[in-house]
Amino acid sequence: MSIALLGDPIVQFFILVVVGTFVSRVMLRHQRAGRLIGQMAFFVCLTALLFYHGIVPYEPSPSQESVTLRTFTGFAKIVWWVNGAWVLIACVRLFLIFERKPREGRLLQDLIVGVIYLGAILSIVGNVFSVPIGTLIATSGVFAIILGLALQSTLSDVFSGIALNLGRPYSVGDWIVLENDVQGRVVETNWRATQLLSGTNDLIVIPNSILAKTRLTNLSSPDESHGATVNVRIQPTALPRIIADVMQNVLISCNSIQKNPEPSVAITSIDGQAIELQLSFRVRDMSLAQAAKNEIYDLLVRHTKAAGLKLADPPGTIMLPMQQKPETADEKQHAPGTPWRLVSNIPLFSSLTEDEKEHLASHMQRRTYRKDAVIAEQDARMRALTIVRSGVVSITRREGHRQIELTRLAPGDYFGENGLLMGSGEVGTVRALTFVVTYEIGEECLAPLLHDRPTLAEELGAMLAKRIEAEQHLFANADMLGHGAHVTSLSSRIKHLFQLQQHD
């Protein structure tokens, strides 16, 4: 009796459905590829079972069959068509995931899934319920025209979205700019619209029909790097070649821009009032462009002052007769670039009095380095604080077989304070990238000030702690001080180095 029951096609069908559902939906529910394999295996077994019992899913059922058998046959065909559609849909979704761009293909994926479902429904209507498909399509044509007219705007967005996804002028994650200056990063594209996230973190929703007609610029293609320019006007007090070299040093000393491709300087115009130059560079990402421009503006001021150049007035400015006062002797003495001005611009010495600054400035040693000259080797202790007067300096650290550039220094920057004040070695090799002029403050220059005013050690320790906290990667003892440098410990090291314990 049980063997005859197991031979019944209805029993076999329901056993197969239960087993297939349990395997694919329960055992393999967390394995996308495994679930697809289970669905395919179930579909193959179901097809073999139906053909074994003479049931052809893609042909109408014979009318002479009993009601029970016709009901079972119809139900079995519906399950076969639905499972076949699921297998095809799973293959589509798995293919898009293998491409690693599931969100980009969402609209195209939905379109393919919709076609598969529509084909399955029409097949079920024609092969299970024996309804003529051609007549059904012809009857629904009038209704489709009415519906299309009512949804004209929506359908325009849908088909424009399809065209945009097939043409792929942009992808999810790209930064695009429209001709009306609307710009942002693409976060999603769907049936109706494309969503952009602006630089102010606002969500911009643009209908696909409008996006398909407008001109757009993809700033993330062919790669994420972005080009930018800065225009500057310099008074023609020097040869254009010299001014161009100074502007090239501005770009060389900038840490926010890409070194490859190499930034460039072009002289765009020249007249009696100004030499106009355009500084061109690239940044790693569009979001870094403004930070890079801010750094370049700062470096422009520092390099032009170091070279004795002056920025020109904007075009069209009316030049009045000479109204400038002649410089006094004190102004000439403390002009930009003099030792006194260099010392005054260093935060480390902000607590010094005017007389103490004058003492340091009068004992500073001027040095020059040719291009590519090594100023200090990695781990070597420098016994002087060195201030960059002009040119560009690079600090690179050697780690095994790799050379890592930590930073680049411009006029007004300084190095060597960890060796002078803490007795530590340099974190990296200090090298001149251009012709460099420096001023040095040695131990023999600073020691008299510390002995005359021992409290200066605490003040220097406080300022040094702030610098270490802000720029830990520039200090050889960053591991020791990385978790918070104590002012008292730094002050004690300075006192010990300069033998000031007797003044505590």
Side-chain angles (χ1 to χ4, degrees):
M1 183 69 178
S2 60
I3 297 177
L5 185 63
L6 290 176
D8 188 275
I10 299 178
V11 175
Q12 293 176 352
F13 172 78
F14 280 105
I15 290 176
L16 181 61
V17 169
V18 171
V19 172
T21 302
F22 177 78
V23 172
S24 62
R25 301 294 176 181
V26 179
M27 294 181 61
L28 302 175
R29 65 181 183 274
H30 299 303
Q31 303 178 24
R32 191 180 296 271
R35 189 164 67 245
L36 173 60
I37 294 174
Q39 288 179 335
M40 295 177 65
F42 171 75
F43 181 72
V44 171
C45 294
L46 179 60
T47 302
L49 177 64
L50 295 182
F51 275 94
Y52 177 77
H53 290 289
I55 302 174
V56 182
Y58 46 82
E59 291 182 358
S61 302
S63 57
Q64 63 270 21
E65 292 180 348
S66 63
V67 175
T68 302
L69 188 57
R70 275 207 311 272
T71 302
F72 163 70
T73 301
F75 180 73
K77 287 183 178 181
I78 292 174
V79 172
W80 187 86
W81 280 106
V82 171
N83 190 76
W86 285 349
V87 170
L88 288 177
I89 291 170
C91 290
V92 170
R93 297 190 188 281
L94 194 63
F95 171 75
L96 291 175
I97 287 177
F98 282 160
E99 270 197 344
R100 297 182 180 179
K101 295 183 178 180
R103 295 188 67 185
E104 287 184 39
R106 178 176 176 180
L107 193 146
L108 183 61
Q109 180 189 79
D110 291 344
L111 180 64
I112 296 175
V113 169
V115 171
I116 293 174
Y117 273 129
L118 179 62
I121 292 173
L122 292 177
S123 299
I124 291 173
V125 171
N127 297 315
V128 177
F129 298 101
S130 301
V131 176
I133 301 299
T135 305
L136 180 63
I137 294 176
T139 305
S140 61
V142 176
F143 176 74
I145 293 175
I146 297 174
L147 186 63
L149 292 174
L151 301 177
Q152 183 176 4
S153 178
T154 302
L155 291 176
S156 177
D157 291 335
V158 170
F159 286 106
S160 296
I162 294 173
L164 289 172
N165 274 262
L166 293 177
R168 299 177 74 121
Y170 56 82
S171 303
V172 172
D174 288 354
W175 190 282
I176 63 174
V177 180
L178 308 185
E179 61 182 359
N180 54 357
D181 290 334
V182 174
Q183 58 179 298
R185 190 177 298 279
V186 180
V187 293
E188 185 176 351
T189 175
N190 53 41
W191 284 94
R192 193 189 71 82
T194 295
Q195 299 180 5
L196 308 179
L197 190 66
S198 68
T200 56
N201 204 35
D202 297 322
L203 189 65
I204 305 173
V205 181
I206 305 175
N208 289 329
S209 57
I210 296 178
L211 197 60
K213 298 175 183 178
T214 190
R215 185 187 66 185
L216 64 87
T217 303
N218 191 337
L219 301 181
S220 301
S221 181
D223 52 51
E224 290 290 332
S225 64
H226 175 67
T229 59
V230 169
N231 296 316
V232 60
R233 289 167 51 86
I234 304 295
Q235 293 183 10
T237 55
L239 293 175
R241 174 180 55 81
I242 295 176
I243 296 177
D245 289 342
V246 173
M247 295 301 104
Q248 190 68 46
N249 288 347
V250 170
L251 296 176
I252 293 175
S253 60
C254 185
N255 290 292
S256 301
I257 66 177
Q258 289 186 318
K259 306 304 184 289
N260 190 23
E262 187 175 342
S264 62
V265 176
I267 300 176
T268 57
S269 67
I270 183 171
D271 54 37
Q273 295 184 2
I275 297 177
E276 294 189 1
L277 304 100
Q278 185 178 76
L279 283 61
S280 302
F281 57 91
R282 299 186 72 85
V283 291
R284 189 179 70 255
D285 186 81
M286 170 66 184
S287 60
L288 303 176
Q290 190 56 53
K293 287 184 177 181
N294 291 342
E295 183 180 358
I296 286 177
Y297 290 140
D298 176 74
L299 292 170
L300 272 170
V301 175
R302 293 160 64 179
H303 279 277
T304 52
K305 284 186 176 181
L309 301 175
K310 292 184 179 181
L311 298 176
D313 293 324
T317 302
I318 299 176
M319 300 296 294
L320 298 176
M322 296 298 293
Q323 297 179 348
Q324 295 181 346
K325 300 182 299 181
E327 290 185 332
T328 64
D330 185 66
E331 288 174 340
K332 290 181 179 180
Q333 180 184 355
H334 295 165
T338 61
W340 185 92
R341 183 61 62 91
L342 291 174
V343 172
S344 299
N345 287 335
I346 294 180
L348 188 64
F349 297 139
S350 60
S351 63
L352 268 62
T353 64
E354 294 297 318
D355 291 339
E356 291 171 337
K357 292 178 182 179
E358 288 285 1
H359 170 77
L360 291 181
S362 62
H363 290 80
M364 292 172 68
Q365 297 293 322
R366 184 181 186 273
R367 298 188 184 278
T368 59
Y369 300 91
R370 67 180 185 279
K371 181 180 178 181
D372 296 326
V374 175
I375 301 175
E377 293 284 357
Q378 180 175 327
D379 297 326
R381 182 200 165 186
M382 297 188 66
R383 298 183 178 274
L385 184 140
T386 303
I387 308 171
V388 180
R389 164 66 176 83
S390 63
V392 183
V393 172
S394 173
I395 300 179
T396 57
R397 180 171 179 83
R398 183 179 64 257
E399 294 184 355
H401 299 288
R402 295 192 307 160
Q403 289 281 350
I404 303 172
E405 185 174 55
L406 301 179
T407 190
R408 292 187 178 184
L409 306 181
D413 291 329
Y414 58 95
F415 57 93
E417 70 278 15
N418 51 339
L420 174 65
L421 299 177
M422 295 183 294
S424 303
E426 286 301 301
V427 67
T429 299
V430 184
R431 186 185 305 273
L433 292 183
T434 64
F435 178 78
V436 173
V437 178
T438 65
Y439 280 88
E440 295 182 354
I441 301 176
E443 289 180 336
E444 68 284 354
C445 178
L446 187 60
L449 295 181
L450 290 171
H451 283 279
D452 292 340
R453 187 160 65 95
T455 56
L456 184 60
E458 281 82 5
E459 298 170 3
L460 291 177
M463 296 305 300
L464 191 58
K466 291 182 180 179
R467 177 168 167 84
I468 291 175
E469 184 179 359
E471 303 178 354
Q472 292 184 14
H473 63 288
L474 298 181
F475 289 85
N477 55 350
D479 294 336
M480 181 185 70
L481 301 171
H483 300 289
H486 297 287
V487 176
T488 54
S489 63
L490 292 176
S491 301
S492 299
R493 295 187 66 174
I494 295 173
K495 291 178 180 179
H496 175 74
L497 195 62
F498 286 87
Q499 300 179 355
L500 302 178
Q501 286 87 349
Q502 65 272 23
H503 295 280
D504 291 347

